[in-house]
Amino acid sequence: MALSDSADPPVFQRFLSKNGEPLASLPIKTCSESGKRYIFWSDIQNIFEDVVYLRDLDELIVLFMIGQDGELAMLIWEIELRERTGFKALVNGMDRCQMLDSLREWEKKLLRLDYENICWNMLPRSDHGWNFAASKLFIVLPSGLDSWINSDPSTHLFRFYYLCDLCKYDDSRKHVPQHPQHAHLSNHQGYDLNRPMEFFEVYGDYVLRVLRMVKRGYSDDRYEVPPLDTFKIFWDCSPDLTDNHLTEDNIVSLVNKAIEYLQDLSPPVWRTSLGLTFRQSVAIKSYLDVQDGDNAEGNLHRHIGSERHVSWVCQIHDQGSIIHDHLEKLTEFIDSLGGYVDRRQAMIKVELGSTSDAAQFCALLTNAEYTCDIVVKLNWKPTQRILLQLFHDISRTNTMALEIDGITSDIRNTQDLIRATVHRFSVRLRDDTDIIAVRLCNYPHQDEHCIYFRYFQLRVKSPPNQPVYDWVELRDELYKFVDVVSDTLHSAECRAASRDLQLALAAYGMPEIATITIYTETWNGVFDVKKATFLEVFSSHMGLPRIVTSTGSVRTLTGCLFDKESDQELHRFVNADNEMRELDIWTGGRDVLCQVEFIGRLRRSCDNPLRLTLSDITRDYRGRIVAQMTICAERRPLERHPVLEIDDAHDMSTSDQESAPEPPMTIDFSQWQRDHLLSPLSDYHASFLDMATQQHPSILTSFFLDVSSRSRHCLTFIKNIIARSSLEHLVVVCTSFDPCLSKSVAHILQNIPWSTLKSLVLTGDRINEWIQLWPRPIAPRLFCLQIQGTGSVTLDLSHSSTLFVHQIVVASPLVELGFENIQLLDGRDWLLLIEGMDMSLQENS
């Protein structure tokens, strides 16, 4: 269909508002082949973005045809032109009257679909966590029509009635099919409505929707509201309601009058958004005239369904979902502990005084199959294992919100590589349960509380006086905030997200959030909302928030170093960071000195003091800190150290300058727990260990002495390290070395602490040379001596070396003496050794 602009003066199609006011005019396209005039739907959408359909002057919906090119087009005046020339126009076999009838049917269908769509969207679906302070279904009707005068607002009095908003296919009620599964009036006489004009300004649109739903009826897979003319709305209503207020004779006229009043008061704008929020359902109660001794929920009971969907149902429907015998036992047990079960609010409050109380409570709760919110006060100091078991048992009961007060023990999880700020409850929330929120009151400090959601945790510095569901209402805002700060590369976006969150908190009347801890698969981060920056990040394999990677804006970083790749990632990050003040490294069984090279590189980016902590997370150490130090750029008068050159290829080398200046770095060791060294020391490692043992002597008990290819400075460091230590186990690798260093090696051997040494191993192919170099006299007290030759041939032990061994044997209470790949040159040497041994102590010979 080829369309073009006509050479004649253009013809426009006018568009008017419902009140007849002109809105816009659109030029009409003309088909070059047939001369027909069209308007395209896409052109109309360019003018009216939210247009759904059009009506003509007869209030009929205008239909559009699909052209050959797939475009929707409206044929202008086609039928009228044909009828004027005497032809009978037929479209799809229908004349004008039939088409008008078809259009009217289509209009009815569209209106019905529009109505059903609105009803569907105003009623919550199966999404977890829907909660209301009272029934989401209610009607507001005139108190009476006899005294009602349309022109006199003082006579416009209203009464408020709750409906049982039962979900008809709740799994927990499958065993009670005899009860009707539809909405109906609660068994309550209703409430006088205070400040009706103010109420209708806030809730008028929603009330009008519910009234239309009650009048016409509505049904879907979850809800059923019977039409008003069936009078099923009065199911199970007491005479107090039907005799004094509502009856089948007056309810229809009252509903019609209420609909008419609300339509005249403010023409409704039918939106497709959800109807009520939790906070709105709370605020409704402030408009109700609740008499003393009455409740503000219309005698309805809060019910948490199998999908954690909250309904407010009548007593009969609530009773149908309860195992009465087990619930009575649970109630009796809780009463005996000074707690209570609030059946109307679906809440349990209990005080537990011992581990047996906790176990019995969880067992009774599980047997009762009663879904509720739980508030627990701990009156004893449970262990971490007991606390986690308590949480695990409660999580299996479909509980929506859990609150615990009285935690005094440390329940942080270090064994799972999670920083102290990340609670083990967060792991349970993510892995084991669908609990929406967990709040720990007065934790970690008095007048603070932590609220745990599945993927983040809030820390609030104020008394926990807000209901947990006030925080649940903020989930959308919180998730939006978490998504932004987790993914952005720009600090400005973090600041804007923090500002928006603070405005939302103020609008909801909530206290300020101190920090939000975010949990992801690769990292956990503590974000300061006020400062709009990450305070602390934990990463298992150096995956970091993008904002931290791009700006280095974090003060504390914890990383696990398991391989060279993670080492390099951490090194690149530290070099780019200007704000970091604390770095924790978790190592999986790797020797602390394997990280020394990395520590040395920190000097290039260490403009400010940096506290470095090294922890061992193997099973034997379970996260124990093995070294903690503060690295400063300033110098401190320690012993002189060599200049350590670190090139870009990550190699370590040492200068032999005897008078080299000290490195421009000071390391203060606040902790040093590494008591063994089982690998050779490089020059730089020896320098680092020398600094550590200056501040923490006598810690080292096991040492691996290998001087091959070592500098004079390195040997000096080793001499100092051994002299300061209380060695118990020593392995000496007897290999060749530069003869110029013989004096330095002898000084090392002279400083061996024989008074504490219990085990000595001499290994290598130069054992004789090393023994000859060993200074005398010696005063050994060994329990174990091993002489191990290496190489492809048996090592011959000289007579002078045998005399050295004999001296050790005679002076020591040996229980183990071993020779491996060793041969004595003189047969009398064996007799000499045997005569010197106390054979009663020997295990091997």
Side-chain angles (χ1 to χ4, degrees), residues 46 96 122 132 138 187 226 251 253 256 258 294 324 328 371 446 472-473 476 520 659 728 749 752 811 838:
N46 290 334
R96 178 178 176 82
M122 69 180 288
F132 298 92
F138 53 85
N187 204 347
I251 190 170
S253 58
N256 289 335
D294 198 359
H324 294 276
E328 288 301 324
T371 303
Q446 190 70 24
V472 174
E473 278 294 293
D476 291 343
T520 71
S659 58
E728 297 179 2
L749 298 177
I752 291 177
D838 184 351

Side-chain angles (χ1 to χ4, degrees), residues 140-141 148 158 196 199-201 203-212 255-268:
V140 181
L141 304 176
W148 183 283
F158 294 89
F199 177 83
F200 289 132
E201 286 181 6
Y203 302 101
D205 181 49
Y206 183 79
V207 173
L208 183 57
R209 295 182 189 185
V210 178
L211 285 170
R212 287 178 170 173
V255 169
N256 289 335
K257 188 64 178 180
I259 292 175
E260 177 188 346
Y261 174 82
L262 290 173
Q263 288 176 331
D264 293 340
L265 184 66
S266 176

Side-chain angles (χ1 to χ4, degrees), residues 83-151:
E83 289 183 346
R84 290 175 188 174
T85 57
F87 291 94
K88 185 174 182 179
L90 295 178
V91 177
N92 290 337
M94 294 184 292
D95 59 19
R96 178 178 176 82
C97 294
Q98 291 173 323
M99 281 197 64
L100 292 176
D101 292 338
S102 178
L103 289 174
R104 292 187 180 96
E105 290 298 322
W106 269 101
E107 181 176 19
K108 293 179 181 178
K109 184 176 181 179
L110 289 174
L111 290 176
R112 184 174 67 255
L113 292 175
D114 194 20
Y115 165 78
E116 293 177 353
N117 185 52
I118 290 172
C119 295
W120 172 275
N121 282 281
M122 69 180 288
L123 296 173
R125 297 295 106 195
S126 59
D127 187 21
H128 287 193
W130 282 107
N131 185 48
F132 298 92
S135 174
K136 55 189 168 290
L137 294 181
F138 53 85
I139 57 176
V140 181
L141 304 176
S143 297
L145 297 180
D146 295 338
S147 59
W148 183 283
I149 301 175
N150 290 335
S151 60

Side-chain angles (χ1 to χ4, degrees), residues 772-832:
Q772 293 301 318
L773 190 63
W774 211 300
R776 274 68 164 185
I778 59 175
R781 296 291 295 170
L782 298 179
F783 292 96
C784 175
L785 174 63
Q786 295 284 340
I787 312 294
Q788 301 172 352
T790 59
S792 58
V793 296
T794 302
L795 177 66
D796 294 330
L797 193 66
S798 67
H799 179 68
S800 60
S801 297
T802 304
L803 292 176
F804 176 81
V805 174
H806 176 264
Q807 184 180 357
I808 295 176
V809 169
V810 171
S812 301
L814 285 178
V815 295
E816 181 179 352
L817 174 63
F819 293 93
E820 182 178 339
N821 203 26
I822 294 293
Q823 176 178 318
L824 301 185
L825 293 178
D826 192 335
R828 292 174 298 177
D829 290 345
W830 284 110
L831 294 175
L832 180 66

Side-chain angles (χ1 to χ4, degrees), residues 3 29-38 75 78 82:
L3 299 180
K29 303 290 185 179
T30 303
C31 179
S32 58
E33 300 172 356
S34 63
K36 297 178 181 179
R37 293 180 292 176
Y38 292 86
L75 183 60
E78 177 68 18
R82 287 183 176 272

